[in-house]
Amino acid sequence: MAVSIAGMVSPSQAEPGRLVIGGGAVSPDNAEVWQALIAGLPDPEHDTIAVIAAASGEPVASFESFRDTMAAYGVDRSRIVLIRAAIIDDDTTPDDESQWNSGGTDPANQAMIQAAGGIWFTGGDQARTAQVLFDDQGAPTPLLQAVRQRFDQGAVVGGSSAGAAIQPETMIVRGDGLTALLDPVPAVPGPADMETGALILAPGAGFFPFGLIDQHFDRQARLGRLVRATLRSEAHRFGYGIDENTALIVDVDEGKARVVGKGGVTVIDDVDAEQTGSPNDFPASGLRLSLAASGDQIDLATGWVTPAPFRTAVSMPRPDDTEPRLVEQGALVPSRTLVEHIDADLIGGRLALIRLWTVGPDHRALELRLTRRPETRAWFGRAENGDGGMTVDSLDLAITPGRVQFDAVQP
């Protein structure tokens, strides 16, 4: 008689499953991400994947889009099941999905989760997902308890955009890149605070215990809010900013993560950060910033980045200017991303330190100082499919608030 080894493993013996944390806008043709999700199923040939689409403004349409993507990678459509939990109605269907707002306690939903080998959280608004994962007192609903149990038993859990935001123990709910740095963090945020651009934090689902997660990191310029959130989180020293069309594949048991996709992951480490007593957390200095590209591995206990084997070390020019340089920014100069500034000025250029200014409302401004450390290293190289780019380990980051006054030159 054949005996299934999997059937002999008790839940207490099982290892936690894999996490697939997408930075948003993950393309259907991004095979590395989707194949990592499928490969993480305990039984990739037969397991179902339960979809929690509560974040979406069109939960059924989001579910169907995910099911189409999985079908393109060989997963039978019947194996993709929808958890009936939602907050708002999907106008693309004749049903009223807002009636699913009690889905967090629906036994039928719990049964589908308990039978699934994978759980996927769609994008949208993570605050909506939180409404089906937590009750009015902030306690986990039976739905969240069921997902946690399946994850502990080895199921793969994934999500993108809002589905990534929900996964840490502390969740970033709101915050614009600049306003999140300039404005106070509400102690007890109310509905009005949700639209101000201020940083809003809340409890997350707790699948990712290694720090905070932010997404759409490159397109939405979210360095500021990730730094602020990391500094505010006493329980965690790391923040991970995931670019669009990119994912972090996490082995929770090993404490390791691998970057896959078209962009990269920015790692913020505040273990040596110094703050000077301001109630708004700034000035702050001594933050460590690293960049991980596709194929790189991150040690989630230390934040150290190991470059992919196809990357080679970059010989950085010896700095010939130790004075801080104010880098040109604005509408009259070519636009460059933070990664491009690092590449051109600190890694490929002869600068030891660059200053980047951002001006906000009421003449308020922030200066970012990026400095090479003695241990700073860089690598460059692309995989055969073209993914990848530059890996940088250990730049120093400081943020200082200020004010800017414009004095016109008189003829």
Side-chain angles (χ1 to χ4, degrees):
M1 179 179 66
V3 179
S4 168
I5 295 176
M8 298 173 63
V9 178
S10 70
S12 62
Q13 295 172 307
E15 294 181 353
R18 166 184 292 181
L19 294 176
V20 178
I21 308 177
V26 178
S27 171
D29 64 3
N30 194 330
E32 279 193 292
V33 175
W34 301 118
Q35 289 171 352
L37 176 69
I38 296 167
L41 295 167
D43 184 352
E45 297 296 326
H46 302 97
D47 278 338
T48 60
I49 301 175
V51 180
I52 298 176
S56 176
E58 296 180 339
V60 176
S62 294
F63 162 73
E64 293 292 353
S65 176
F66 175 78
R67 185 158 65 168
D68 289 343
T69 298
M70 289 294 95
Y73 289 91
V75 180
D76 191 277
R77 296 175 67 87
S78 65
R79 292 169 52 196
I80 312 301
V81 298
L82 176 62
I83 299 300
R84 292 169 64 91
I87 301 302
I88 61 177
D89 181 35
D90 185 340
D91 292 337
T92 67
T93 75
D95 298 326
D96 183 0
E97 286 75 19
S98 67
Q99 299 299 311
W100 299 353
N101 58 5
S102 61
T105 59
D106 186 342
N109 285 338
Q110 298 165 49
M112 283 193 286
I113 294 293
Q114 290 163 353
I119 299 95
W120 181 260
F121 291 87
T122 70
D125 184 344
Q126 53 266 40
R128 294 181 194 138
T129 306
Q131 291 182 64
V132 302
L133 297 185
F134 298 96
D135 64 21
D136 292 341
Q137 285 71 48
T141 62
L143 179 64
L144 176 55
Q145 293 175 25
V147 177
R148 286 175 173 172
Q149 182 181 49
R150 285 298 297 128
F151 178 61
D152 289 342
Q153 294 170 347
V156 60
V157 172
S160 183
S161 187
I166 196 73
Q167 296 198 33
E169 294 172 342
T170 299
M171 172 178 65
I172 299 175
V173 182
R174 290 287 191 278
D176 297 335
L178 181 59
T179 308
L181 283 172
L182 291 171
D183 287 0
V185 177
V188 183
D193 295 311
M194 301 292 276
E195 307 304 324
T196 64
L199 177 67
I200 306 292
L201 300 174
F207 310 126
F208 182 82
F210 304 103
L212 285 86
I213 293 286
D214 211 343
Q215 14 72 42
H216 299 285
F217 201 71
D218 50 348
R219 297 295 182 182
Q220 307 260 354
R222 286 178 167 170
L223 175 65
R225 81 171 191 178
L226 180 61
V227 168
R228 185 76 177 277
T230 305
L231 289 170
R232 299 285 295 191
S233 175
E234 295 182 0
H236 300 292
R237 63 182 268 194
F238 297 112
Y240 299 91
I242 307 174
D243 290 347
E244 291 188 356
N245 208 12
T246 306
L248 201 58
I249 312 302
V250 181
D251 184 325
V252 173
D253 193 52
E254 293 290 331
K256 308 287 186 184
R258 178 170 54 92
V259 181
V260 299
K262 305 300 181 183
V265 173
T266 300
V267 183
I268 300 296
D269 180 0
D270 75 353
V271 68
D272 294 321
E274 296 183 2
Q275 298 168 262
T276 55
S278 166
N280 287 342
D281 303 315
F282 296 98
S285 60
L287 293 143
R288 179 163 64 97
L289 182 148
S290 299
L291 304 175
S294 184
D296 293 347
Q297 186 176 84
I298 304 171
D299 185 322
L300 299 172
T302 65
W304 294 109
V305 178
T306 301
F310 54 80
R311 291 205 168 82
T312 56
V314 173
S315 179
M316 294 181 287
R318 183 181 180 85
D320 59 10
D321 183 2
T322 58
E323 293 298 319
R325 173 183 163 189
L326 179 61
V327 177
E328 301 87 351
Q329 293 176 274
L332 300 181
V333 296
S335 176
R336 289 197 289 180
T337 66
L338 178 67
V339 173
E340 289 169 338
H341 278 299
I342 291 171
D343 184 11
D345 298 319
L346 287 177
I347 304 304
R350 293 186 174 275
L351 298 179
L353 185 157
I354 59 174
R355 302 164 61 201
L356 299 170
W357 277 90
T358 303
V359 180
D362 303 322
H363 306 286
R364 294 182 297 167
L366 286 160
E367 180 195 57
L368 273 65
R369 290 192 176 210
L370 286 162
T371 310
R372 286 192 201 175
R373 291 181 170 189
E375 66 270 26
T376 299
R377 299 291 183 270
W379 298 262
F380 184 83
R382 293 187 181 276
E384 291 182 0
N385 64 1
D387 289 350
M390 184 178 63
T391 304
V392 180
D393 204 20
S394 298
L395 291 171
D396 190 85
L397 171 65
I399 300 178
T400 304
R403 299 186 68 84
V404 173
Q405 178 175 334
F406 179 75
D407 294 320
V409 176
Q410 299 299 322

